[in-house]
Amino acid sequence: MKLSLRALKLKTRMVLILGLIALLQTGSIGLFALYYLNQSLDEQIGERALHVAKGIAAMPQMIESVGQGDSENLQPLSKLLAERTQASFVVFGDLRGHRLTHPNPELIGLSMMSDDDDDTAPTLVHGRSQVTKAEGSMGWSMRARTPMYDHTGEEVIGLVSVGYTLDRVEATIARYRTTLILVILAAFVVSVLTAIWFANHFKQAIFGLEPEQIGRLFQERIATLESVREGIIAINADGRITTINRAAIETLGLDEDRTLTGRPISEVLPDSQMLDVLRSGEPQFDREVWLADRNLIVNRVPLKQDQKVTGVVSSFRRKDELDLVSRKLTRIQQYADTLRSQSHEYSNKLHTIAGLIQIGADDEALALIGQETRSHQELIRLLLAAVPDPILSGCLLGKYNRAREMGLKLLIDPDSHMAELPDRLPREQLVSIIGNLIDNALEATLAHTGTNGEVRLSMTDLGDDLIFEIEDQGAGVPDDQQERIFEKGVTSKSAQGHGLGLHLVKGLLQRLGGTITLEPGDPAEENPASRGSRFTVYIPKQPVRHTAAVDNPHG
């Protein structure tokens, strides 16, 4: 079974690859060095042989002996010259190319052409010196041949051949080869140690992950970014975009065919708040912003490494999408509150009716049933006629039942009319405003009068505004708190967790371009000194244009 390279750990792969590269590099350099050394030594030996040959060819005694063909005199002289010049051989030849001397006496008189295919004509006929590497009678040698002239220097009378065998060259190369092998092994060991160090450092930088794991995480990251419905933008420490998903491009209305990665965020989205987060390192959460009549909710978080900000990631989503979810949850909550209140109330009524029947008070039981039927029918008829919107009417019905559960009365003005609710008005914001005001009125009335108290509600859609008026029988708002009652945390209640409802109402009305007023209510008939409070809400029917962005939305 073959071992795949991918099956090995990154550290093992890096050691093998870097070690193999070092081995190939040093091996290639070593082979080139040996080849160059061999060529250099051959040239040096050839030049030496040629220099010796020319020196011998110029000696008068040698010229005279070669001219006479005196082999007996030349033979001992050639041996002596070879020893003094440390040459392997010194061979003299006559004008026909026959040997006059040779280390092997048996070869004297034979043609020098028998050693190899080299021609002696360049030397004897043309008078040129030549250096060759050839295998002769004494093996491979580097030899130089040069012509010998007579005493006049004009006529060639023979030649001299000086040669050096390559045994010394091989010995020198072998010595260098051993050194190079040691160097190659040392380089391989150093490369392995370097690879181990680098692999450990690299693995630490990538959190111990393998390349395949990084690739898989990268693919998962891309799939995750493209699957989420929130827009996501990330920038690096230089303020350049490193990540942007399709949802961000679509939400911000950017050109889909334009390459945005790598471009400065200030160029794509001028006045970017992401650059402020990059400089300060402080995150920003749930910032509401406006862009091209689109309301967005934005979060911006800095990326830090070793306490240094290395980038910023921003996520954002259109607020109307969040409002849609909130609207659905609000409806469910309203339905649940209505059902809970009705279930609790009717459970008590049924127990009462059952008790009356058990004791034989049938007339009283029928009267109670009729009373309950009439009161609810009247309320339902009023809501159907005055408030056709099911969400608002459901909210009012739930608050009516809650008031009865608390032992109070929620009285809706029979002359109320609220049929012209504009489509652009978010219903969940409207019921949040009215619901909070009614809840505060019920709690204030219960705390001041106990049970049997009343909260009055009147509505009208005449004119350019929707007007809601809620009046309670509470203790009223002190004069020193009337200016601060809408601030967050300000409340007349001693229990914790209050002081948010009116602040929320004020914020919602500001978004809708509406206003709210507070004034003392009408004196109660049974207690003229108790005036309570009257809250009046004005909501314009026409939408309010946002002239400037509250914040920059690009996350």
Side-chain angles (χ1 to χ4, degrees):
M1 184 177 181
K2 294 182 178 179
L3 180 61
S4 174
L5 187 61
R6 289 180 175 271
L8 301 176
K9 296 293 185 181
L10 176 62
K11 183 175 181 180
T12 305
R13 275 185 271 180
M14 295 184 69
V15 170
L16 290 177
I17 293 174
L18 292 180
L20 182 60
I21 291 175
L23 192 61
L24 291 175
Q25 287 180 338
T26 53
S28 300
I29 294 174
L31 291 175
F32 174 78
L34 290 175
Y35 173 79
Y36 181 78
L37 178 63
N38 186 50
Q39 295 296 319
S40 178
L41 290 176
D42 286 349
E43 291 179 4
Q44 291 179 12
I45 293 174
E47 290 178 0
R48 181 179 180 183
L50 181 60
H51 179 73
V52 172
K54 287 182 177 181
I56 295 175
M59 296 174 67
Q61 183 180 0
M62 301 299 126
I63 295 173
E64 182 178 356
S65 297
V66 170
Q68 296 176 356
D70 188 0
S71 296
E72 293 182 0
N73 186 36
L74 288 173
Q75 179 68 11
L77 289 176
S78 65
K79 292 183 177 180
L80 179 61
L81 289 172
E83 292 177 358
R84 289 184 177 181
T85 59
Q86 297 181 346
S88 298
F89 60 87
V90 176
V91 176
F92 291 95
D94 59 15
L95 189 59
R96 296 175 301 172
H98 293 171
R99 295 188 185 96
L100 297 175
T101 63
H102 197 276
N104 185 1
E106 296 180 357
L107 300 179
I108 296 175
L110 299 179
S111 174
M112 299 178 74
M113 290 289 293
S114 62
D115 285 347
D116 49 50
D117 294 334
D118 290 341
D119 190 4
T120 57
T123 302
L124 294 176
V125 176
H126 303 289
R128 293 199 302 265
S129 299
Q130 59 178 341
V131 178
T132 60
K133 181 179 181 181
E135 185 178 12
S137 58
M138 298 184 66
W140 283 94
S141 63
M142 183 65 68
R143 66 190 181 189
R145 288 176 177 175
T146 189
M148 295 184 68
Y149 294 88
D150 60 8
H151 291 292
T152 63
E154 296 179 356
E155 183 179 354
V156 177
I157 61 174
L159 61 82
V160 60
S161 177
V162 178
Y164 291 86
T165 59
L166 298 180
D167 295 341
R168 295 180 181 178
V169 175
E170 291 296 331
T172 302
I173 293 176
R175 186 170 65 254
Y176 280 102
R177 185 186 296 115
T178 303
T179 302
L180 286 173
I181 291 174
L182 294 177
V183 171
I184 290 172
L185 292 177
F188 178 75
V189 172
V190 172
S191 299
V192 170
L193 295 177
T194 304
I196 294 174
W197 172 84
F198 181 74
N200 290 332
H201 179 75
F202 188 73
K203 289 276 286 185
Q204 184 178 3
I206 60 176
F207 304 101
L209 298 174
E210 294 295 323
E212 291 75 14
Q213 293 176 310
I214 296 176
R216 185 167 58 253
L217 290 175
F218 181 73
Q219 292 177 342
E220 292 177 357
R221 168 183 171 272
I222 294 177
T224 301
L225 288 176
E226 295 302 328
S227 64
V228 297
R229 298 182 62 185
E230 285 195 351
I232 297 176
I233 299 179
I235 61 173
N236 58 17
D238 298 326
R240 294 184 176 273
I241 297 176
T242 58
T243 300
I244 181 168
N245 66 348
R246 183 172 297 277
I249 296 175
E250 294 175 351
T251 302
L252 298 177
L254 301 176
D255 188 358
E256 297 184 4
D257 298 328
R258 190 178 181 185
T259 301
L260 300 177
T261 303
R263 298 184 58 193
I265 187 67
S266 58
E267 178 181 332
V268 178
L269 297 168
D271 302 325
S272 172
Q273 296 295 318
M274 293 181 72
L275 297 177
D276 295 339
V277 177
L278 187 63
R279 287 187 289 266
S280 66
E282 296 296 329
Q284 299 175 356
F285 297 106
D286 298 329
R287 295 291 182 91
E288 184 174 351
V289 300
W290 283 89
L291 178 67
D293 294 330
R294 284 173 291 187
N295 197 4
L296 306 178
I297 301 296
V298 181
N299 295 289
R300 306 181 184 100
V301 180
L303 299 176
K304 295 184 179 181
Q305 186 173 6
D306 298 331
Q307 303 302 318
K308 182 179 179 181
V309 179
T310 59
V312 178
V313 175
S314 174
S315 63
F316 49 90
R317 192 167 184 176
R318 295 186 60 167
K319 189 175 183 297
D320 52 7
E321 295 180 4
L322 299 177
D323 289 342
L324 177 61
V325 177
S326 176
R327 186 158 52 247
K328 292 179 179 179
L329 292 177
T330 300
R331 292 177 182 177
I332 295 174
Q333 184 178 3
Q334 293 294 337
Y335 296 152
D337 289 343
T338 301
L339 291 174
R340 179 181 59 81
S341 299
Q342 290 181 347
S343 174
H344 183 76
E345 180 184 0
Y346 281 105
S347 177
N348 293 332
K349 298 297 183 182
L350 288 175
H351 290 151
T352 303
I353 293 172
L356 291 174
I357 294 175
Q358 288 178 356
I359 63 176
D362 297 339
D363 295 337
E364 288 78 0
L366 291 174
L368 181 59
I369 294 173
Q371 179 183 352
E372 290 299 317
T373 302
R374 285 191 300 274
S375 60
H376 271 81
Q377 288 298 325
E378 290 175 0
L379 175 63
I380 293 174
R381 281 195 297 269
L382 172 62
L383 293 178
L384 288 175
V387 189
D389 187 85
I391 297 178
L392 180 58
S393 60
C395 172
L396 297 178
L397 182 59
K399 298 305 179 184
Y400 174 84
N401 290 327
R402 186 183 179 211
R404 296 191 62 179
E405 185 179 331
M406 297 170 65
L408 304 175
K409 294 180 180 179
L410 175 60
L411 303 179
I412 301 178
D413 189 346
D415 295 329
S416 295
H417 190 269
M418 190 58 61
E420 297 184 7
L421 291 179
D423 294 335
R424 63 94 192 171
L425 180 62
R427 297 301 190 268
E428 75 282 354
Q429 296 183 17
L430 177 62
V431 298
S432 181
I433 293 171
I434 303 305
N436 272 289
L437 291 175
I438 293 177
D439 286 341
N440 282 350
L442 292 174
E443 292 176 4
T445 300
L446 182 64
H448 186 65
T449 66
T451 58
N452 297 322
E454 295 180 353
V455 172
R456 299 180 179 274
L457 169 65
S458 63
M459 304 171 287
T460 180
D461 56 3
L462 298 178
D464 297 330
D465 296 325
L466 305 177
I467 302 175
F468 297 86
E469 188 177 276
I470 297 97
E471 183 177 349
D472 61 48
Q473 292 182 344
V477 179
D479 294 339
D480 60 344
Q481 289 190 8
Q482 289 191 5
E483 296 295 331
R484 301 178 58 247
I485 194 65
F486 296 102
E487 295 180 9
K488 186 176 182 180
V490 176
T491 179
S492 59
K493 304 179 180 67
S494 59
Q496 294 183 352
H498 295 280
L500 300 177
L502 292 178
H503 174 73
L504 176 62
V505 168
K506 186 73 171 181
L508 292 174
L509 285 173
Q510 287 178 347
R511 295 181 189 177
L512 299 175
T515 58
I516 184 171
T517 62
L518 168 62
E519 57 185 356
D522 296 329
E525 296 179 358
E526 64 277 7
N527 186 6
S530 176
R531 298 176 61 87
S533 300
R534 181 187 298 116
F535 291 88
T536 306
V537 173
Y538 301 88
I539 301 176
K541 295 180 180 180
Q542 297 300 322
V544 177
R545 300 290 296 179
H546 293 268
T547 57
V550 180
D551 195 0
N552 193 296
H554 42 74

